[in-house]
Amino acid sequence: MSTSHRMNQGDTVLRVQDLGIRLRPGRSAPEGRMLLQGCSFELRAGERLTLVGESGAGKSLLAQAIMGTLPDVMQASGQVQIAGRETNGQRTLTQPLWGQQIVMLPQEPWTALNPVMRLRTQVAEAGRYAAGRRWPDALAQADRHLAALGLAHAGRQWLHQVSGGMAQRVGMACASQSDARVLVADEPTKGLDAGACEQVAQLLADAQRQGQALLTITHDLDLALRLGGRVAVMRQGRIVEAGDVAAVLHAPQHGYTRELIAAQPRHWPSLAPVREAAKGEVVVSAEQVSVSFGERAVLQGASLPIAEGESVAVVGPSGCGKTTLGNVMVGALTPRQGTVRRRAGVPAWRFQKLYQDPVASFAPGQTLRRGIHDLLQLHRLDANPTAHWLQRLRLSDELLDRLPGEVSGGELQRLAILRAMLLQPVFVFADEPTSRLDALTQRETMAALCEAMAEGGCAMLLVSHDPDLARNATHRQTRFVAGRLSPS
């Protein structure tokens, strides 16, 4: 660590006082609706604070206000102080501190990583320019951190050659190169298997031992316990409970906190409607499918039929080929060997994909309402069910008048489900479709998705790193073992 950024344990490195965020008055919010209000906390060097709570509560907005990156349609009030400097959410005052005093791991790695630069080079560049390391030292440090995250083999790959979970860990490696006083990590383990979560948690813990303060946003209560320190529970734009993480999560005082803990996937009842095993014709079937990226074989002789109204989960570690199999079955990728059969006479657009990183599937410069309108018009479909799906997924109609970058990751995931359901699909490839949602909203959303599959006779392939979610949301489960499918 450079001496200019050495931290003393008693130093307050981040102070947030009465922070509020409102929509600027406009078409979608004529009265300037409040999105966040009255949030206050301090972080000293070496301390950890984890924010948990419902999707859309304002957790990521709070982080953006601290970083000075709020969308133009939003306005911050209150006080923000970083390493003794008043910034108050203003980009012009905060940007000079990026990389030196504060660094952020964003929720969406696809928007933060460079698609035309090899991954190792990106990580090393972060160390070169944020921490001032010599280039050979920056490369060596990048290699060490990639290896610690199980990515030693991925350094020479491009962004499009790695899975969403691998891209998430590359983003973590980039963020960890800085000697900044504060690290803000927004959903650092979303979509990661248990082993990869442990690797990320260990890297975060190592940084804390050097005195860096950590502000983490997560829906993963197990991660909050693993990190230790303090936790703050957010609901409807306010902090409703805060304290030592073990005390709060083992003996919660607020009713919402108790609900959040009880809604973990391991406590769910079965959400998949009962169906007769032999009922329904096959909608899509992979037969002896093999896929390679360069010299690396990802799928080897994978076969998987899915029948009408049936839901199947595929589980396995990040990068094992789960998303590749789904892309092949939905028609987004052509296999090197093998065959994919889809129900005859059904147009390709009725085979839908829910992306792990939903921001990649929305036009960034188009309002959500316009995008949905154009899609329905293109396929001559009725717009009336939109209101039904907004209510079913607990989404506000005013969200549709925003750009994709102006809503939370959890809201965008549910809007992606809404959009797919309006197309009356016969098959849905759901790639970690609820990874940005808190446990309560995740349970409600998966229940709505499972019910819709049954109502419309739609088949579903669910990719998940959570075996509890997979077991309770699908009719049968299969996992990858050495590039091959094996029934769980």
Side-chain angles (χ1 to χ4, degrees):
M1 180 178 295
S2 61
T3 56
S4 61
H5 296 115
R6 195 173 298 279
M7 292 158 265
N8 297 316
Q9 288 293 325
D11 292 346
T12 297
V13 293
L14 177 64
R15 178 178 286 115
V16 175
Q17 184 66 39
D18 199 29
L19 181 64
I21 300 172
R22 70 168 64 243
L23 284 171
R24 296 181 188 275
R27 180 183 60 191
S28 62
E31 298 180 3
R33 185 168 68 88
M34 291 296 297
L35 303 175
L36 185 81
Q37 50 189 320
C39 287
S40 301
F41 59 85
E42 290 187 1
L43 265 179
R44 298 181 184 277
E47 285 189 332
R48 308 173 193 180
L49 173 64
T50 302
L51 301 178
V52 300
E54 63 184 352
S55 302
K59 302 183 300 296
S60 293
L61 289 181
L62 188 153
Q64 288 177 297
I66 292 170
M67 294 299 297
T69 57
L70 278 175
D72 291 339
V73 297
M74 299 176 192
Q75 184 176 17
S77 59
Q79 295 180 316
V80 177
Q81 188 182 86
I82 301 170
R85 303 187 191 184
E86 296 282 349
T87 59
N88 299 338
Q90 297 180 42
R91 186 184 183 103
T92 54
L93 297 178
T94 311
Q95 190 167 359
L97 307 181
W98 292 353
Q100 301 297 314
Q101 303 292 349
I102 189 166
V103 65
M104 182 175 182
L105 171 64
Q107 187 175 135
E108 305 295 347
W110 298 105
T111 62
L113 296 173
N114 190 334
V116 296
M117 184 183 293
R118 294 188 191 274
L119 299 176
R120 177 189 187 230
T121 306
Q122 294 190 59
V123 179
E125 194 173 73
R128 173 71 181 89
Y129 293 104
R133 297 188 184 97
R134 295 170 52 251
W135 187 246
D137 295 335
L139 286 170
Q141 181 80 324
D143 289 339
R144 284 193 292 272
H145 278 188
L146 287 171
L149 291 166
L151 297 171
H153 64 286
R156 291 195 57 76
Q157 291 182 304
W158 308 93
L159 181 59
H160 71 275
Q161 294 176 314
V162 299
S163 70
M166 294 168 74
Q168 182 73 6
R169 281 179 284 165
V170 172
M172 180 67 235
C174 288
S176 65
Q177 300 308 298
S178 171
D179 290 337
R181 293 173 182 261
V182 184
L183 170 61
V184 181
D186 192 356
E187 296 289 358
T189 58
K190 70 178 187 330
L192 298 183
D193 61 272
C197 286
E198 179 60 29
Q199 291 168 339
V200 169
Q202 186 61 53
L203 197 60
L204 291 170
D206 289 345
Q208 305 321 294
R209 280 194 285 271
Q210 297 185 58
Q212 188 179 65
L214 174 66
L215 175 63
T216 306
I217 295 164
T218 185
H219 294 115
D220 186 347
L221 300 186
D222 292 333
L223 175 65
L225 282 169
R226 169 68 176 77
L227 292 175
R230 293 178 289 135
V231 67
V233 182
M234 293 187 66
R235 189 183 191 196
Q236 297 178 347
R238 293 180 180 274
I239 294 174
V240 297
E241 185 169 1
D244 175 80
V245 63
V248 170
L249 296 185
H250 289 146
Q253 300 301 304
H254 196 279
Y256 174 73
T257 309
R258 291 193 290 270
E259 291 177 17
L260 199 63
I261 295 168
Q264 298 300 297
R266 57 180 169 268
H267 302 310
W268 292 2
S270 176
L271 303 179
V274 177
R275 64 184 296 276
E276 296 177 21
K279 184 179 180 181
E281 65 176 293
V282 172
V283 174
V284 59
S285 177
E287 302 170 6
Q288 294 297 310
V289 166
S290 297
V291 175
S292 297
F293 295 134
E295 298 180 355
R296 188 167 70 97
V298 180
L299 295 182
Q300 302 179 51
S303 296
L304 183 64
I306 305 180
E308 178 181 338
E310 183 182 26
S311 54
V312 179
V314 178
V315 297
S318 178
C320 71
K322 304 183 301 297
T323 297
T324 299
L325 175 64
N327 284 337
V328 167
M329 296 186 75
V330 83
L333 183 66
T334 302
R336 176 173 56 83
Q337 293 179 343
T339 304
V340 177
R341 303 186 190 280
R342 302 181 189 89
R343 178 181 287 178
V346 178
W349 52 267
R350 293 189 68 192
F351 291 81
Q352 281 291 305
K353 176 179 178 178
L354 298 173
Y355 286 78
Q356 181 177 2
D357 293 291
V359 69
S361 68
F362 288 87
Q366 184 183 58
T367 67
L368 295 159
R369 191 182 303 278
R370 185 71 208 183
I372 290 172
H373 172 270
D374 290 351
L375 191 66
L376 295 176
Q377 191 173 56
L378 174 66
H379 299 300
R380 299 190 175 99
L381 294 173
D382 185 8
N384 288 328
T386 303
H388 164 77
W389 275 105
L390 285 170
Q391 182 178 16
R392 196 167 186 176
L393 295 170
R394 286 205 300 125
L395 293 166
S396 168
D397 180 78
E398 64 91 8
L399 291 176
L400 299 181
D401 292 313
R402 301 190 203 173
L403 298 174
E406 296 169 354
V407 302
S408 74
E411 288 166 336
L412 201 59
Q413 275 196 319
R414 285 177 285 163
L415 287 162
I417 292 173
L418 175 149
R419 183 177 61 179
M421 291 300 100
L422 291 178
L423 293 176
Q424 302 169 12
V426 298
F427 172 70
V428 170
F429 165 36
D431 191 0
E432 298 282 0
T434 58
S435 59
R436 277 105 171 124
L437 302 179
D438 65 272
L440 279 167
T441 309
Q442 187 178 55
R443 185 180 64 189
E444 294 170 355
T445 301
M446 284 306 306
L449 190 57
C450 291
E451 290 167 4
M453 299 294 107
E455 291 166 2
C458 183
M460 178 171 70
L461 174 65
L462 172 70
V463 161
S464 177
H465 288 106
D466 189 331
D468 295 316
L469 186 152
R471 182 181 64 256
N472 291 322
T474 59
H475 296 110
R476 58 187 172 101
Q477 300 83 46
T478 185
R479 65 170 46 250
F480 271 98
V481 178
R484 298 181 183 275
L485 288 174
S486 174
S488 293

